[in-house]
Amino acid sequence: MALLEVNQLTKIYEGKVARTALDHLHFSVEEGEFVGIMGPSGSGKTTLLNVIATIDEPTAGSVSLRGHDPHSLNKEEMALFRRRELGFVFQQFNLLDTLTVEENIALPLLLDGIPVQESEQRLQRVMQKLSLTANGEQFPYELSGGQMQRTAIARAIIHHPALLMADEPTGNLDSKSAGDVMSLISALNAEERTTVLMATHDAVAASYCSRVIFVKDGRFYNEIYKGDSRQQFFQNIIDMLSLLGGDIRDLSFVRP
Amino acid sequence: MTFLSFALRNVIRNKRTYAAYFISSAFSVMIFFVCALFTSHPAIKDGLLADSAVNAMVGAEWILYAFAFLFVLYSVSSFLNSRSREFGIYRMHGMTTRQLGSLVFWENMLIGIAAIGLGIVAGLLTGKLFLMVCSAFLDIPSLPFQVTASPLFWTIGSFTALFVAISLITSAMLGSSKLVDLFQAGQRPKANQKPSASLALLAILLLAASYVLAATSVATTVYYRVIPVVAMTVCGTYLLYAQFIGLAVQRLKQYRPLSWRRTNVVTIASLAHRFKDNARMFFMVTILSTVSFCSVGVFASTHTLLRSFLDDYPSAIAYIAKQGSQVEEEHVEQLKGELASKGIPYKVAEMPIHYVEVRGTSTPKRLQTLPIIRLSDYKTAVELAGHTFDEKPLEDGEGLVILTTQRERSFIAARKKDSYLLIDQPGITIREIGYTSQVPIPNYLSAKLDIELEAQFGGIVVSDALFERIVPDSVDRYTGFYVPDYKETAGIGAQLAKDGLVRYQTEAPYAITVSGTLYEVQRSLYSMMLLISLLIGAMFFLAAGSFLYFRLYSDLDYDRRQYAMIAKLGLTDKELAVIVTRQLAILFFVPTGVAVVHSLFAFAALQTMFYLSVAAELIIVLASFVAAQLAYFYFIRQRYLRNLRKRMS
Ligand SMILES: Nc1ncnc2c1ncn2[C@@H]1O[C@H](COP(=O)(O)OP(=O)(O)OP(=O)(O)O)[C@@H](O)[C@H]1O
Ligand SMILES: [Mg+2]
């Protein structure tokens, strides 16, 4: 059974003009996969992640995680589901600027009432893994963009979520930091077998995935698997993006 | 687009932020206006009320005005602070300081004018009610509601001047800040300012010292202690918030078993984050609440003075004819006539008061004039007043110090008993052996004994035999009229004493108190003071509430973003409510709590000045304030949570 199944997912934003953000989107993700979602701006990537994460509700269709639909939960259970089963890395980092790096990272554990000692142990481990040990006492505004991103990732994985979701985790980073962050996520995926679902515009970032799903106007467009060569995979992604007719600006970091 | 419409748009967009400030300003305009309506009412001007009461009200109006000035100034400058980023953007886009100044000027003026308008309208609507309340409170015939030009003119004029002055001051202040400062303001947490341990300690020492001084003060020391205690409390309170709490929060933060327990981490972090900003606001709110608790408490307690009225004014009419008076007989006859024509049955007691030159053994250098009365006269006076006479017979050379009011009891402990040598009759001494248990002659009619102790005590009672032996230097005659119900004597002797009182220390050949009239005058004065203190207390309380409200709403956007972020990680509704409630509770009840503690100690000191217990009054006052604060807390919490949830989803 797949870890995540997205069944004919449809999301329509009501308003003066109804906007179909997701249109019968259908795909599944296996345990341990590292899946990228790509598509032009406004194609529904953020909406998709939000609906999977129960931050937003679908108009039609369903999501199933390990065979259960998180949307059938009540609000309270949803909150608990998010903090136990999911890790979310937001495009805008979403760090709490009143909390130190340590506190930001430990937050999911603290909210869940994990004893302090255990929290501290786990905290040390992730901080080590993400090379944040020196930054523990700092506040987010004292960090560089890359450090903030790593903090956000640390927070998303500290509780060993079933599914790690990342919305453009490299969007605000230079190519060096973006590379670091991506190596990190793929190492996590490889070593801890954390399943990852990542939305991105960045073809280089996408080339770290094992599979990339392309969406256009909220619809499934195509998907490509990595194969043996990352170089080749990257080229295929670029080709697919130009087929998609995305703005050339989306083809960031075009380099061999 | 003109600046005026730009300003108007800004004000309307920010209406939520301005709401409490606007309402408090309008409220002060309203109070000012209805007070003016009252004091300038034709019936009041015709002398319906004692002058002292009317003057008290007029004084209160100007206190209110001065306070409104400070309140508006503080509020406006904190609004401007919270908008510095916005101003930075305007200036980046080329708005000149002058233009910005005029924008701010017009924004303030718009709010000010609206507040004046609303205040006047509310005043007109509630004016009739206010006049009714006043007349019921002061027990005067009800006043017909009529609006004359003068209160309107005064209210509009003085508050327009206030808003113009403040708009000018604040728009002038704007020019000085640098662009980069404007941009950085409010962005980064300010948690890094280190509170100092020694200042935190100082805060505790100052507060402890002033509490001890307040709690241990007695009637004689309370006057000297007031100013240092108030100064120490004010400084201590400021340091408490600015240093001690910051330090405590920091320590708490380091103690993870507590600070890392579930949502505590968020609460404590946001406390630490804002402690400097909050310190100033907490301080203001605490001081305002304390002043408001204490003023209402004090004036609620003065009402107990009326309860001991009968003890302090034993005879319904007390008359003293000074040595050589030509008018005594005429006056006494007149009083008797008036009592008879009103059909009030009365008994009369007369007693001579003798004055002799003495030297106190404690102050041998100074000559003193000592008033003495006979023990049997004292006995008659006490019995006619309806008390039982329980003094032991006096030996020769012994004397009892006369109380002129029961309040003087509190001074007994601090007073050393003296003895006196008569100047002209060297053989005779009078030794104080105790104090009378009742008041024979009212305070206002007593020539004083202890000049240095702020004129306490009224003379000495001596045995009849000794009294006869002493040749007086001068003689006054006291006549007391005793009636079943002293309140009926209101209005009697109006030609002799307008407000029921001619003090002994005047040029007149007589002194008089008429209890009925005096009671009414005092009661209306006390009621007026209570009314005023309630108005001012309400005003201060509202202002404190408005500071809290402003703090909350100026941070709402920021808080909302923070909460939304946590919610995305998985925060249940219940947990959100817990965090928010806890933060609001800290905001609302820490300053109130400190104010209550301050007030309790102030009241302990206050009690020393009263003979009867004022605990009941004070407890009622504190309880009602706390209840009001609770109601305000629930109201705001509910709205705030709804607001958060609405904007978060
Ligand atoms: N809250 C909302 N209300 C109405 N429409 C919305 C809302 N959020 C998103 N949309 C619309 O839904 C569509 C998909 O938006 P979404 O944010 O999912 O795109 P995206 O793929 O993440 O784009 P980008 O790559 O630019 O981040 C867009 O057309 C957007 O205008
Ligand atoms: Mg997006």
Side-chain angles (χ1 to χ4, degrees):
Chain A
M1 190 182 62
L3 173 83
L4 171 73
E5 281 179 61
V6 174
N7 294 317
Q8 307 295 338
L9 201 62
T10 300
K11 173 73 189 179
I12 298 169
Y13 284 112
E14 302 295 345
K16 282 200 195 106
V17 191
R19 230 175 244 279
T20 309
L22 297 176
D23 190 358
H24 296 90
L25 196 63
H26 193 93
F27 68 92
S28 61
V29 176
E30 298 298 324
E31 192 104 39
E33 255 194 306
F34 184 176
V35 176
I37 311 274
M38 295 195 82
S41 186
S43 56
K45 303 179 294 289
T46 300
T47 309
L48 173 65
L49 294 190
N50 282 346
V51 171
I52 295 173
T54 68
I55 292 171
D56 215 337
E57 289 168 0
T59 312
S62 69
V63 174
S64 123
L65 198 79
R66 291 212 170 110
H68 299 287
D69 182 358
H71 288 281
S72 64
L73 303 172
N74 65 29
K75 261 181 99 178
E76 168 129 7
E77 292 167 330
M78 262 184 213
L80 298 179
F81 160 77
R82 281 203 295 277
R83 78 183 178 208
R84 289 176 187 158
E85 307 288 335
L86 294 186
F88 209 125
V89 183
F90 301 91
Q91 191 171 357
Q92 249 69 42
F93 307 140
N94 272 7
L95 298 177
L96 291 154
D97 37 358
T98 52
L99 300 189
T100 61
V101 167
E102 283 180 339
E103 289 164 345
N104 260 296
I105 297 174
L107 193 59
L109 300 184
L110 304 187
L111 289 179
D112 225 26
I114 308 282
V116 172
Q117 246 189 346
E118 194 188 332
S119 303
E120 274 173 344
Q121 282 167 5
R122 286 211 228 165
L123 180 71
Q124 288 317 318
R125 247 178 293 152
V126 259
M127 296 226 306
Q128 207 127 49
K129 190 176 291 167
L130 290 158
S131 339
L132 284 168
T133 1
N135 307 97
E137 301 281 324
Q138 285 175 303
F139 285 93
Y141 76 92
E142 297 168 313
L143 298 178
S144 74
Q147 288 165 333
M148 285 194 217
Q149 194 67 288
R150 276 181 283 153
T151 307
I153 293 170
R155 183 176 67 183
I157 61 172
I158 193 169
H159 52 301
H160 301 305
L163 178 62
L164 172 65
M165 294 198 285
D167 192 358
E168 314 214 13
T170 58
N172 292 312
L173 303 181
D174 66 50
S175 54
K176 164 81 172 64
S177 316
D180 289 350
V181 164
M182 286 319 299
S183 324
L184 213 132
I185 295 180
S186 75
L188 265 175
N189 170 252
E191 288 158 21
E192 314 230 337
R193 294 199 48 76
T194 309
T195 313
V196 184
L197 187 61
M198 173 182 81
T200 184
H201 282 281
D202 178 353
V204 181
S207 69
Y208 284 84
C209 301
S210 50
R211 169 164 62 122
V212 176
I213 295 174
F214 294 87
V215 287
K216 186 181 186 183
D217 300 332
R219 262 174 300 213
F220 182 88
Y221 183 79
N222 205 338
E223 62 181 350
I224 40 179
Y225 284 85
K226 186 174 196 170
D228 298 330
S229 150
R230 209 184 118 202
Q231 192 64 41
Q232 185 56 47
F233 189 41
F234 175 72
Q235 200 51 56
N236 292 346
I237 294 170
I238 298 281
D239 294 345
M240 187 58 75
L241 284 176
S242 51
L243 254 180
L244 253 177
D247 193 317
I248 196 70
R249 270 193 329 231
D250 287 349
L251 308 181
S252 45
F253 307 119
V254 180
R255 60 199 145 86
Chain B
M1 189 170 60
T2 62
F3 267 114
L4 197 58
S5 62
F6 193 29
L8 184 63
R9 204 202 54 196
N10 275 345
V11 170
I12 290 174
R13 287 231 178 112
N14 288 325
K15 56 182 179 299
R16 202 184 299 283
T17 324
Y18 289 131
Y21 158 68
F22 174 68
I23 289 176
S24 312
S25 307
F27 185 77
S28 45
V29 174
M30 179 186 97
I31 298 291
F32 188 91
F33 180 56
V34 292
C35 289
L37 267 186
F38 179 81
T39 52
S40 66
H41 195 283
I44 298 294
K45 286 221 148 135
D46 289 346
L48 184 61
L49 208 61
D51 284 348
S52 49
V54 179
N55 290 339
M57 180 79 113
V58 173
E61 268 185 81
W62 293 110
I63 292 177
L64 188 95
Y65 185 77
F67 174 70
F69 190 90
L70 295 177
F71 167 74
V72 172
L73 186 64
Y74 178 80
S75 303
V76 170
S77 53
S78 24
F79 290 141
L80 294 184
N81 253 330
S82 75
R83 288 172 63 194
S84 30
R85 248 177 84 74
E86 183 190 335
F87 293 154
I89 294 169
Y90 291 152
R91 279 181 45 192
M92 274 279 292
H93 290 284
M95 198 185 257
T96 62
T97 331
R98 254 187 84 120
Q99 284 172 317
L100 194 60
S102 89
L103 177 71
V104 168
F105 178 83
W106 283 114
E107 281 185 34
N108 287 328
M109 282 313 290
L110 282 172
I111 301 178
I113 290 167
I116 294 177
L118 181 68
I120 297 276
V121 170
L124 287 173
L125 292 177
T126 55
K128 187 166 171 48
L129 184 72
F130 181 77
L131 290 183
M132 270 163 56
V133 169
C134 275
S135 31
F137 224 87
L138 303 172
D139 209 21
I140 51 177
S142 67
L143 303 166
F145 178 64
Q146 55 190 108
V147 181
T148 48
S150 109
L152 266 177
F153 169 79
W154 273 107
T155 312
I156 295 178
S158 47
F159 275 89
T160 307
L162 185 152
F163 283 112
V164 169
I166 285 175
S167 306
L168 284 176
I169 293 172
T170 46
S171 55
M173 277 181 346
L174 275 176
S176 51
S177 40
K178 279 205 227 91
L179 204 49
V180 55
D181 296 336
L182 292 181
F183 268 109
Q184 277 177 349
Q187 261 179 326
R188 38 185 57 186
K190 297 159 190 153
N192 291 18
Q193 299 137 325
K194 272 229 177 321
S196 112
S198 47
L199 286 178
L201 187 70
L202 182 64
I204 297 304
L205 288 180
L206 280 175
L207 287 181
S210 46
Y211 285 170
V212 168
L213 280 180
T216 59
S217 61
V218 290
T220 41
T221 54
V222 73
Y223 292 105
Y224 309 117
R225 289 189 184 178
V226 168
I227 289 175
V229 166
V230 167
M232 276 160 58
T233 313
V234 169
C235 296
T237 309
Y238 184 75
L239 289 177
L240 177 79
Y241 290 130
Q243 304 291 336
F244 182 80
I245 296 218
L247 195 73
V249 169
Q250 244 181 25
R251 287 282 145 81
L252 196 64
K253 222 178 144 180
Q254 274 152 22
Y255 183 64
R256 289 194 173 161
L258 200 85
S259 71
W260 275 28
R261 254 187 65 80
R262 292 177 179 268
T263 52
N264 281 2
V265 70
V266 181
T267 313
I268 293 176
S270 87
L271 265 184
H273 167 54
R274 290 205 195 115
F275 95 87
K276 201 85 188 198
D277 285 349
N278 281 343
R280 220 158 59 117
M281 192 272 306
F282 274 17
F283 171 70
M284 302 271 292
V285 171
T286 305
I287 298 299
L288 284 179
S289 315
T290 312
V291 170
S292 126
F293 296 172
C294 289
S295 65
V296 178
V298 166
F299 292 112
S301 329
T302 48
H303 255 260
T304 61
L305 291 180
L306 291 178
R307 272 197 259 140
S308 57
F309 192 88
L310 207 54
D311 293 334
D312 289 344
Y313 297 93
S315 53
I317 300 172
Y319 180 89
I320 284 189
K322 294 184 192 165
Q323 163 100 358
S325 166
Q326 309 286 318
V327 287
E328 180 184 11
E329 205 166 327
E330 178 196 333
H331 284 172
V332 170
E333 285 313 312
Q334 184 189 341
L335 290 172
K336 284 181 178 166
E338 284 188 46
L339 282 170
S341 70
K342 280 207 170 183
I344 305 172
Y346 62 90
K347 287 183 188 136
V348 186
E350 292 185 355
M351 67 169 112
I353 303 171
H354 286 184
Y355 296 87
V356 284
E357 295 273 286
V358 298
R359 240 182 250 286
T361 43
S362 61
T363 51
K365 294 216 181 66
R366 226 183 59 223
L367 282 179
Q368 266 177 287
T369 305
L370 185 69
I372 51 176
I373 62 174
R374 238 188 242 130
L375 186 62
S376 61
D377 285 339
Y378 169 74
K379 178 171 187 247
T380 320
V382 164
E383 282 173 350
L384 275 175
H387 302 292
T388 46
F389 175 79
D390 54 4
E391 310 288 357
K392 286 192 278 293
L394 290 170
E395 301 295 323
D396 191 64
E398 288 178 347
L400 293 173
V401 180
I402 299 171
L403 294 188
T404 65
T405 151
Q406 290 289 358
R407 258 173 299 154
E408 282 169 357
R409 279 203 182 286
S410 358
F411 292 88
I412 289 177
R415 186 175 180 279
K416 269 228 236 20
K417 294 201 190 87
D418 209 343
S419 33
Y420 305 93
L421 291 166
L422 269 63
I423 308 281
D424 300 331
Q425 292 153 277
I428 304 179
T429 60
I430 302 171
R431 189 164 50 84
E432 294 176 3
I433 59 160
Y435 296 83
T436 61
S437 54
Q438 300 298 337
V439 175
I441 300 173
N443 183 287
Y444 287 133
L445 302 191
S446 308
K448 302 297 174 168
L449 176 59
D450 292 348
I451 308 299
E452 73 276 18
L453 257 181
E454 282 162 29
Q456 308 295 340
F457 303 102
I460 305 278
V461 181
V462 296
S463 68
D464 291 19
L466 180 59
F467 187 85
E468 303 309 337
R469 273 195 4 248
I470 295 173
V471 181
D473 298 323
S474 72
V475 178
D476 289 351
R477 258 162 66 85
Y478 167 85
T479 310
F481 295 83
Y482 298 84
V483 305
D485 180 8
Y486 70 90
K487 287 180 193 163
E488 287 178 3
T489 59
I492 287 181
Q495 297 102 303
L496 299 181
K498 179 175 169 284
D499 285 336
L501 171 68
V502 174
R503 289 166 200 265
Y504 187 84
Q505 289 81 1
T506 60
E507 296 297 312
Y510 65 96
I512 186 171
T513 59
V514 180
S515 296
T517 317
L518 208 54
Y519 179 79
E520 306 237 298
V521 169
Q522 290 199 356
R523 199 186 47 173
S524 66
L525 182 63
Y526 292 160
S527 299
M528 179 60 96
M529 299 299 265
L530 180 59
L531 184 69
I532 288 168
S533 67
L534 280 174
L535 288 177
I536 290 188
M539 182 62 228
F540 277 31
F541 200 60
L542 214 69
S546 139
F547 288 150
L548 287 175
Y549 181 96
F550 169 68
R551 162 96 281 144
L552 222 54
Y553 276 86
S554 62
D555 288 338
L556 183 65
D557 262 349
Y558 182 86
D559 287 346
R560 197 203 66 232
R561 259 181 284 132
Q562 300 277 304
Y563 291 135
M565 280 182 214
I566 311 174
K568 280 185 185 162
L569 297 181
L571 186 75
T572 64
D573 252 15
K574 237 186 272 159
E575 284 165 335
L576 175 70
V578 167
I579 300 184
V580 170
T581 306
R582 211 181 287 154
Q583 287 197 6
L584 290 188
I586 289 172
L587 211 56
F588 274 72
F589 294 111
V590 167
T592 313
V594 174
V596 167
V597 176
H598 282 358
S599 309
L600 284 176
F601 282 97
F603 291 163
L606 179 68
Q607 176 67 70
T608 63
M609 300 202 271
F610 290 90
Y611 147 68
L612 294 172
S613 163
V614 290
E617 279 78 8
L618 298 178
I619 285 170
I620 291 173
V621 167
L622 279 186
S624 2
F625 273 113
V626 171
Q629 184 76 346
L630 259 174
Y632 185 46
F633 167 72
Y634 277 107
F635 175 71
I636 291 289
R637 184 189 91 109
Q638 201 217 357
R639 291 192 43 146
Y640 187 77
L641 268 177
R642 205 177 49 202
N643 223 310
L644 266 184
R645 289 198 180 119
K646 196 173 73 197
R647 294 217 224 164
M648 264 168 60
S649 55

